[in-house]
C-alpha cells in the first residue's frame, strides 16, 4: 500500500462529516447586496472605463467578483436631491415634481446591475421631504405629519408622501428599471444631522395603511413594501411586534433591519422574510484594510463571513447587505475602494463572494449536521439543483471534511484564506457520491455539488 494512499486513509479516518438533509428546509434566500447612496454612485461612475469595469465586475460578476444580487438605492429628500424640492403649499395641492435626472448616478448603477442579472432593486427613503414633517426639516429626526402623535398645522401629509414614493418608482419604470421593493424609513430610532425621520412601529403602520392602497391604485402591486431599517435587530424587533399588533404584516413584503447596534442573533418574530439591509465596519479603528484574517478585527473578511453565517442561521435572514459597495475613500464602510490609481478589493468583499456566488436568489437553506464549535456549516439547494455547502474554520489548523447526504455526480470547491484572499479553486475529491475537501485554518470553503 503506497504512502499516498495511507495518508489519504488517515485523513479520511480523522475527517469530520457533514451530512446534508435536503428534506429539512428553512428560509428561501433573496440574495446579498450593498448600496451606492450619498454620492457613492458618482464615485463609481467617474472612474475611467477600465477601472469602472473592474470595479463593477468585483461587485456584480459571479465569476470574477462577489456576484451581488441586491442593490439598495436612496430616495432623496433634500432640496438638491429630491424629485419634490419645493413646498407645494398644502398636502392636497398639485405637487410640482422635477425630473429624476441621473438620481446622483444611481440610475446608471442600477442599469449596470441589471446588465449583470440583478433583479432585486430596493429603493429606500431616509426621510420624507422636510415640509411633510413635524420639524419642517428633512434632517434631524422629526415625524411624518399625520401619523399617530404627529399632528401639524400644515395638515396630514401621509397621502402626499405615498404619492411621492410612487412617483419615484414610476420615474425609474419609465427608464425601463423595475424597483422591486420600497422603504420609507431608515434608522427611525436615530436622529442624525443628515436625512432622518423618526417612527415607532405604530406610526409606521399608519403610513403602510396609506402606501399599500396607493401602490395598488397605481398598478404597482408588484412592488413590495419593506419596513423599517432600524439601527439594530433589537430596535427592529420592537417595531416588528408593533407592526404585527397593528395588523399590517400582511401588507408588507419584507421586514428590514440594520445591525449596527445589535446583530441578528435571534428570530425577528415575523411570518414574512427578513432582510439585514445595512452593516459595515464603522469603528474608530476602521481605516481601510484588505485583510482576510489577522486577529478577528472588525474589518477583516473572516469576521464578516462569520457575521453573515450568524445572521442566516440564528437571525433567519433571507438577505444580507453591506453598507457601501465602492467608494473613493479610506474607510471600511465600503467593500472596494480606489486610491486614485488602483481599484482595491477588501477581504470583506471575498467573504460576501463566498456566500453570494454560490447561494443564488431562490436558494433554500437545508439542514446539514456535523458542525462543531470550530467548524460552522450551512447548506443551500439552488434553483438549478446544485447544493452549496459552506464551511468556516475558526481553528488555526486545517480540517478535512466529508460531505455526504447528496449523491453527487460532481463536486467543486472554492477557498478563501490568507493565502487566497479571493475565490480560488481547491480540490474536492468525489467517492461514492460523497465529497472530501480540506478546509485550512481561518478559512472559508464552499463545496458545490451537482
Amino acid at each position: 500500500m503506497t504512502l499516498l494512499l495511507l495518508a489519504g486513509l488517515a485523513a479520511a479516518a480523522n475527517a469530520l462529516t457533514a451530512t446534508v438533509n435536503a428534506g429539512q428546509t428553512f428560509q428561501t434566500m433573496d440574495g446579498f447586496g450593498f448600496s451606492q447612496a450619498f454620492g457613492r454612485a458618482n464615485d463609481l461612475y467617474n472612474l475611467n472605463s477600465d477601472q469602472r469595469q473592474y470595479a463593477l465586475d468585483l461587485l456584480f460578476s459571479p465569476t470574477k467578483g462577489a456576484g451581488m444580487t441586491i442593490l439598495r438605492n436612496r430616495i432623496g429628500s433634500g432640496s438638491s436631491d429630491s424629485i419634490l424640492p419645493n413646498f407645494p403649499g398644502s398636502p392636497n395641492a398639485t405637487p410640482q415634481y422635477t425630473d429624476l435626472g441621473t438620481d446622483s448616478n444611481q440610475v446608471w448603477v442600477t442599469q449596470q446591475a441589471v446588465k449583470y442579472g440583478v433583479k432585486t432593486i430596493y429603493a429606500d427613503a431616509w426621510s420624507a421631504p422636510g415640509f411633510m414633517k413635524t420639524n419642517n426639516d428633512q434632517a434631524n429626526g422629526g415625524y411624518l405629519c399625520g401619523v399617530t402623535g404627529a399632528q401639524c398645522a400644515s395638515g396630514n401629509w401621509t397621502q402626499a408622501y405615498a404619492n411621492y414614493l410612487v412617483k419615484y418608482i414610476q420615474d425609474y419604470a419609465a427608464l425601463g428599471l423595475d424597483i422591486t421593493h420600497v422603504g420609507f424609513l431608515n434608522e427611525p430610532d436615530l436622529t442624525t444631522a443628515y436625512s432622518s425621520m423618526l417612527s415607532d412601529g405604530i406610526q409606521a403602520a399608519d403610513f403602510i395603511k396609506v402606501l399599500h392602497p396607493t401602490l395598488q391604485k397605481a398598478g404597482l402591486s408588484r412592488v413590495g413594501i419593506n419596513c423599517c431599517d432600524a439601527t439594530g435587530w433589537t430596535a427592529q424587533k420592537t417595531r416588528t411586534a408593533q407592526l404585527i399588533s397593528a395588523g399590517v404584516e400582511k401588507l408588507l413584503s419584507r421586514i428590514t433591519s440594520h445591525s449596527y447596534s445589535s446583530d441578528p442573533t435571534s428570530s425577528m418574530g415575523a411570518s414574512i422574510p427578513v432582510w439585514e439591509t445595512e452593516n459595515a465596519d464603522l469603528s474608530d479603528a476602521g481605516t481601510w484594510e484588505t485583510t482576510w484574517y489577522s486577529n478577528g478585527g472588525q474589518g477583516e473578511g473572516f469576521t464578516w463571513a462569520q457575521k453573515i453565517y450568524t445572521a442566516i442561521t440564528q437571525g433567519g435572514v433571507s438577505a444580507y447587505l453591506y453598507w457601501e459597495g465602492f467608494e473613493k475613500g479610506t474607510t471600511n464602510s465600503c467593500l472596494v475602494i480606489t486610491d486614485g490609481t488602483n481599484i482595491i478589493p477588501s477581504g470583506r468583499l471575498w467573504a460576501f463572494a463566498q456566500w453570494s456566488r454560490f447561494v443564488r436568489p431562490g436558494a433554500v437553506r437545508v439542514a446539514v449536521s456535523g458542525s462543531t464549535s470550530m467548524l460552522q456549516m450551512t447548506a443551500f439547494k439552488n434553483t438549478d439543483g446544485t447544493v452549496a455547502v459552506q464551511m468556516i474554520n475558526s481553528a488555526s489548523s486545517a480540517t478535512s471534511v466529508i460531505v455526504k447526504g447528496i449523491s453527487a455526480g460532481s463536486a467543486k470547491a472554492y477557498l478563501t484564506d490568507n493565502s487566497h484572499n479571493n475565490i480560488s479553486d481547491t480540490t474536492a475529491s468525489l467517492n461514492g457520491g460523497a465529497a472530501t475537501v480540506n478546509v485550512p485554518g481561518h478559512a472559508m470553503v464552499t463545496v458545490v455539488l451537482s
Side-chain angles (χ1 to χ4, degrees):
M1 190 174 291
T2 67
L3 291 177
L4 183 62
L5 180 56
L6 285 170
L9 289 173
N14 294 321
L16 293 175
T17 299
T19 304
V20 178
N21 178 4
Q24 184 179 354
T25 61
F26 303 96
Q27 74 267 38
T28 298
M29 301 300 294
D30 290 315
F32 303 84
F34 62 93
S35 179
Q36 289 296 131
F38 288 104
R40 302 307 181 222
N42 292 325
D43 288 352
L44 188 53
Y45 179 82
N46 290 331
L47 295 170
N48 68 49
S49 58
D50 289 343
Q51 290 181 325
R52 182 195 285 174
Q53 187 60 59
Y54 180 43
L56 287 169
D57 280 346
L58 285 173
L59 294 169
F60 292 117
S61 172
T63 56
K64 300 177 182 178
M68 299 290 208
T69 53
I70 300 176
L71 179 65
R72 178 175 176 242
N73 290 337
R74 172 177 172 265
I75 302 174
S77 52
S79 59
S80 63
D81 62 5
S82 165
I83 58 172
L84 188 58
N86 299 315
F87 176 50
S90 75
N92 298 319
T94 301
Q96 299 300 309
Y97 291 112
T98 60
D99 185 67
L100 176 70
T102 68
D103 197 21
S104 302
N105 272 316
Q106 289 185 126
V107 166
W108 178 82
V109 174
T110 304
Q111 290 169 332
Q112 306 315 303
V114 169
K115 288 179 182 178
Y116 281 90
V118 173
K119 293 181 172 60
T120 304
I121 309 298
Y122 174 26
D124 191 18
W126 268 233
S127 171
F131 54 80
M132 297 184 183
K133 296 169 60 184
T134 55
N135 65 343
N136 200 35
D137 183 357
Q138 64 99 26
N140 298 301
Y143 296 84
L144 178 64
C145 296
V147 299
T148 298
Q151 307 311 309
C152 303
S154 59
N156 183 330
W157 288 87
T158 56
Q159 185 61 63
Y161 186 35
N163 295 342
Y164 172 83
L165 298 176
V166 164
K167 181 64 167 62
Y168 182 90
I169 296 167
Q170 291 172 331
D171 286 350
Y172 265 76
L175 298 172
L177 301 170
D178 290 335
I179 290 171
T180 57
H181 300 78
V182 64
F184 57 95
L185 293 168
N186 176 79
E187 300 182 350
D189 51 320
L190 184 66
T191 297
T192 63
Y194 54 88
S195 306
S196 56
M197 186 166 73
L198 300 172
S199 177
D200 62 21
I202 299 301
Q203 293 165 324
D206 291 341
F207 181 66
I208 290 164
K209 292 172 184 176
V210 177
L211 179 58
H212 187 270
T214 304
L215 287 166
Q216 302 288 315
K217 185 177 179 180
L220 294 171
S221 58
R222 61 174 178 77
V223 179
I225 302 173
N226 291 357
C227 193
C228 306
D229 285 79
T231 57
W233 210 248
T234 300
Q236 183 56 47
K237 285 178 79 168
T238 297
R239 284 159 178 77
T240 298
Q242 292 171 328
L243 293 170
I244 293 170
S245 69
V248 300
E249 186 183 19
K250 63 182 180 297
L251 305 181
L252 293 171
S253 172
R254 302 291 188 269
I255 296 293
T256 50
S257 178
H258 301 175
S259 48
Y260 293 117
S261 58
S262 55
D263 285 318
T265 57
S266 61
S267 170
M268 180 57 72
S271 62
I272 59 176
V274 180
W275 289 359
E276 191 288 328
T277 48
E278 187 181 318
N279 200 4
D281 174 21
L282 301 182
S283 64
D284 292 339
T287 53
W288 174 254
E289 65 173 303
T290 60
T291 311
W292 170 254
Y293 178 81
S294 175
N295 57 11
Q298 285 300 304
E300 296 175 14
F302 188 77
T303 297
W304 286 86
Q306 292 176 309
K307 281 181 176 289
I308 297 170
Y309 169 87
T310 299
I312 289 172
T313 58
Q314 297 182 28
V317 306
S318 293
Y320 196 103
L321 282 66
Y322 202 74
W323 173 211
E324 303 280 4
F326 171 87
E327 69 174 84
K328 181 181 177 182
T330 58
T331 75
N332 286 336
S333 61
C334 61
L335 298 170
V336 182
I337 68 162
T338 176
D339 61 5
T341 303
N342 304 299
I343 304 299
I344 308 171
S346 64
R348 298 180 303 284
L349 177 83
W350 300 117
F352 270 81
Q354 278 282 359
W355 295 99
S356 190
R357 272 202 194 187
F358 311 115
V359 182
R360 303 302 288 173
V364 176
R365 185 164 77 93
V366 298
V368 57
S369 61
S371 289
T372 69
S373 61
M374 302 302 287
L375 189 77
Q376 300 166 316
M377 304 183 212
T378 53
F380 299 84
K381 185 173 182 179
N382 284 294
T383 58
D384 64 0
T386 60
V387 173
V389 181
Q390 292 71 33
M391 291 167 276
I392 302 174
N393 186 5
S394 298
S396 57
S397 58
T399 300
S400 181
V401 181
I402 300 172
V403 182
K404 54 197 299 189
I406 299 294
S407 184
S410 68
K412 296 181 179 180
Y414 305 90
L415 165 68
T416 304
D417 65 2
N418 278 340
S419 299
H420 309 83
N421 199 354
N422 50 32
I423 301 293
S424 294
D425 293 347
T426 190
T427 302
S429 59
L430 197 63
N431 183 19
T436 301
V437 65
N438 186 61
V439 186
H442 296 124
M444 182 169 180
V445 170
T446 297
V447 178
V448 180
L449 306 170
S450 299

